[in-house]
Every structure is written in structure tokens, then in C-alpha cells.
Amino acid sequence: MRYDGISRGRFLAGAGAGALGAAAAGAGLLTASGAAAADATVRPGPGRTPAAGPGVRRGLTHRGVCYEVGDGESAATAWNAARMRRDIRAVRRDLHASSVSVFGTGVERLAATASEAAEHGLHVWLQPRLGDVPERDILDHLAETGRRAERLRRQGAAVYLSVGCEFVLFVPGIVPGADAVERVENLLKGAYDPVHMARALRRVVGRAARTGRSVFRGPLTYGAAHDEEVDWSLFDVVSANYYGYHRTRAGHVGELAPLKRWGRPVAITECGSCTYEGAPRDGGMGWREAVDYTKEPPETAPGLRRSERTQAAYLLDVFDVFDSMGLHAALVYNFVSPELPHRADDPRHDLDMASYGLTKAVRERPDDPESPWHREPKESFRALARRFERAAHR
């Protein structure tokens, strides 16, 4: 099956731990609301972040969602300031989130969105995610984003800088492939050199950490697949993108526990499920299983049944785990995927089934990618809103 029709937004939904973890299992290499409040929990600087000790309150410190900024698949789905402001208000007031991960490309878009989030009292994770360009360009984009993050921090915002996301997929030269989609396919097929991959990843992560430290004085992290081998002594927070599936809570705990051995706060910087029955079992590869992009227009897989309840139940289950482990933060991937519109009257073309979004995008003209659209909350949005609101009042 070809995937050349997958937009950046569609691919990013699958570029989580599931895609990397499935390939890594065969290779055996990858095993794993204010500034004052943030500083009391995480103090920047390698080796200076305290582990949680006796008497520390259990439960997550930050609960939130990922919010993408970027060019979009079309003019209708591209970032714009008015929609962003409405969305950030909804993240704070309707979802009752305390935190948001602002990720994507374009320094101005990243900075404007992070600033808006900070104005609403949200704790901000700022993550540039430029990919498929030379490494130097990726690091330059990171440096400029970091300077904007530092400016926000100095103004009193609670902001962390994430130096990037799963470089194996987005930085050329670590794994063969002209773009991120080809790299996923090569990982799944085992068409890569695991020794080279490990060395190249270590080098790029190190360069990114040094770049981030050179421009940003707040807490630093990196959005890793949950089973990536990362030298977390370079960072202040251990961050994992987690799409694991287990039938029991103990299974999740067993998979995540190794992240705590570094003695640093642990954050789940992505987690989630697509919106169909059985989606949690497909994890970060749900996007790939749910839609046949060789068709025009793309079609959902035969027999797929939409289930917002499945998505909501999975998220409530894993948030139970994250709370029970006393992790620092957990953020859902993601707020909305406008390039995967919902079709209530046409299940075969209901691409939102392949979306990890807490809200669904509904077009005025369903077959027109340039159509105006609006978002509607899914069951997962309402379920997490209730949970987040209760947590905020504990």
C-alpha cells in the first residue's frame, strides 16, 4: 500500500512510539500554572533536577493536550491566528487543561501560539518539529524557537523547551528514506543499519541539547519514542511519546517504569488512540491501519467501526496509570486533525476514524478540502474535561 498521499498532519499522528517501537522490536536497539509553580517542580540544568521524594504529592502535575501549528494540507486547514485563539481558549476553559504542547513549524506561528497559551495561564511545552530538511536547518529552526521561548520565560511564562520529536523519523540520514513516511516503512521492514542508527541518533540528540542550552535557560527536554535509548542526563525532564496497549494497568506500569530510573520528572508528551473499535491495539500505527490512501478519495478500511467511546475509555485508562505513577505531566495527541474530516453520513469516508484528535473536524462541503470547517468535541474531550476539572479542584 502506498502512503504518498499522507499529509504532514496525517503522518504525525502515526509518528509516535508505535511506528518506531514496531520496528525497534526486531532490531533490539530501542528499549524504551505559573512560572513559580513550574520552577518549584523542575529546576533546569543537567544533574540538578531532583527526583520525587517522600511526601511529594502523587498524581500528575500537568494535564493537557498537543496543539499543532503548521502549513496544513490546504489553505482551509493551515494555521491562522483567529482559529488558534479560539482553540487555546477551548483548551483552557472547556477542556480544563493546565498545559499545552505547541508543536510544528514556523517560528512566528510557534511563538504566537505559545504566547497566547501563556496569556491564558497554561503551562507551555514548545517544540519545533521541522523535518525532511538538512540537519543544520533543523538546528537553526530550534535555536530561533528557543530564543522565543527564553523571551517568554523571562516575561514570566511557565515554558519548557523540547528540542524536537523522534529524530529517527524526522532528521535525514539516521534511517534511510527521502521523507518521514519512507523512514517509517524502512523501520518496519528492517531496512536500516541499527548500529548506525543508534550512533547517529545519539549525535543528533546531543547537538540539539547543546543548541537548546545555548539559547534557553528554562527546563529542557526531547520528545522521544517511549523505548528510545536517550542520554537523559542532557535534559531536565524525561519525555516519552506513549501509545502502548495493555489489558492491565500493571502492563502499562511495567513498560513505563524504566523511564523513572534517571531520577528526573517523567512526562508523557504524546499519548492517544484513533477513533474506531480496536484502535488502542494499533497504537501509534492506527492511522496506517484505518485508511487506504491508494483510493481516491481515501477510504476507511473494510469493517472499521467508528467508536468515540473506545478512544475515551483508553485515554481514561492510561491517565489512571500516569496519575498512579506520580508522573510529572501527560499530554494527549492531539486537539484536532482538520485534514481528517468527520463524515457522519458516510462511514466509508469518515477519515476522522484515523484521527487521534479530541475534537472532530466537520466540513461545510464534505468533499472539498478548501471548504470551511468547524470542530466538535468527541466523547474523549468531554471525558477528559471532567477529569481535568476534578483534578484542578483537588
Side-chain angles (χ1 to χ4, degrees):
M1 184 180 291
R2 293 183 302 108
Y3 300 99
D4 53 346
I6 302 174
S7 72
R8 178 177 177 80
R10 287 191 186 123
F11 171 72
L12 287 176
L20 190 53
L29 270 180
L30 305 182
T31 59
S33 290
D39 289 343
T41 308
V42 178
R43 298 192 182 279
R48 290 190 282 127
T49 302
V56 174
R57 182 179 65 84
R58 300 289 287 178
L60 291 161
T61 301
H62 299 295
R63 299 165 177 84
V65 67
C66 301
Y67 187 84
E68 182 175 10
V69 306
D71 294 327
E73 189 180 56
S74 66
T77 59
W79 181 94
N80 73 68
R83 183 184 298 119
M84 177 272 288
R85 286 192 290 269
R86 291 194 298 270
D87 290 346
I88 294 299
R89 281 199 302 272
V91 168
R92 189 71 181 102
R93 299 178 187 177
D94 301 333
L95 186 60
H96 303 287
S98 63
S99 190
V100 64
S101 173
V102 177
F103 75 93
T105 60
V107 174
E108 295 300 329
R109 290 189 294 250
L110 286 162
T113 306
S115 180
E116 183 72 16
E119 287 288 331
H120 283 274
L122 287 161
H123 173 270
V124 180
W125 308 69
L126 191 55
Q127 183 190 81
R129 202 178 287 193
L130 185 64
D132 301 333
V133 297
E135 182 182 321
R136 182 69 263 165
D137 293 347
I138 292 171
L139 293 175
D140 287 346
H141 186 255
L142 164 61
E144 187 54 37
T145 303
R147 293 185 187 98
R148 297 300 187 92
E150 176 64 10
R151 189 179 305 169
L152 273 176
R153 190 191 69 83
R154 288 175 179 269
Q155 291 169 353
V159 57
Y160 294 0
L161 177 66
S162 175
V163 300
C165 174
E166 299 178 18
F167 287 150
V168 164
L169 301 180
F170 295 110
V171 178
I174 300 176
V175 168
D179 56 32
V181 177
E182 284 191 14
R183 291 177 207 119
V184 168
E185 295 299 318
N186 285 329
L187 283 165
L188 293 172
K189 292 185 296 187
Y192 65 97
D193 179 346
V195 174
H196 169 78
M197 181 185 75
R199 289 175 177 168
L201 177 63
R202 190 181 309 117
R203 178 185 59 79
V204 176
V205 169
R207 291 190 67 188
R210 290 191 295 274
T211 300
R213 292 280 182 213
S214 71
V215 295
F216 182 70
R217 299 295 178 264
L220 199 71
T221 192
Y222 161 69
H226 80 273
D227 50 3
E228 271 187 32
E229 290 284 354
V230 175
D231 179 3
W232 290 111
S233 69
L234 300 173
F235 299 99
D236 304 300
V237 179
V238 176
S239 297
N241 299 339
Y242 182 70
Y243 295 85
Y245 172 75
H246 295 280
R247 293 184 181 276
T248 66
R249 182 179 299 185
H252 289 293
V253 172
E255 193 165 5
L256 292 170
L259 297 172
K260 302 184 79 172
R261 72 179 186 269
W262 291 88
R264 281 161 165 70
V266 174
I268 304 300
T269 39
E270 289 185 16
C271 64
S273 166
C274 291
T275 317
Y276 59 88
E277 291 181 359
R281 289 191 294 273
D282 294 331
M285 293 302 287
W287 64 281
R288 187 175 185 265
E289 304 298 328
V291 176
D292 183 352
Y293 292 102
T294 66
K295 303 288 183 61
E296 185 54 49
E299 295 181 1
T300 57
L304 211 65
R305 297 182 61 179
R306 181 180 183 84
S307 178
E308 293 188 14
R309 181 171 298 179
T310 295
Q311 183 192 42
Y314 173 80
L315 285 168
L316 290 176
D317 284 347
V318 294
F319 267 82
D320 280 345
V321 173
F322 305 150
D323 267 312
S324 73
M325 296 180 69
L327 302 188
H328 181 59
L331 300 115
V332 179
Y333 185 90
N334 65 341
F335 184 72
V336 66
S337 296
E339 70 285 344
L340 296 171
H342 173 50
R343 296 282 297 270
D345 60 342
D346 185 3
R348 192 170 66 171
H349 297 103
D350 181 14
L351 301 188
D352 180 71
M353 283 195 268
S355 165
Y356 294 74
L358 296 179
T359 65
K360 51 199 171 193
V362 180
R363 289 176 180 169
E364 292 181 12
R365 299 185 300 276
D367 297 319
D368 181 4
E370 298 292 345
S371 169
W373 60 276
H374 67 277
R375 54 173 168 77
E376 297 176 1
K378 296 184 190 177
E379 286 189 33
S380 56
F381 185 101
R382 292 188 287 269
L384 286 180
R386 290 190 293 269
R387 185 188 186 99
F388 291 177
E389 185 175 27
R390 287 195 304 269
H393 291 96
R394 281 211 296 260

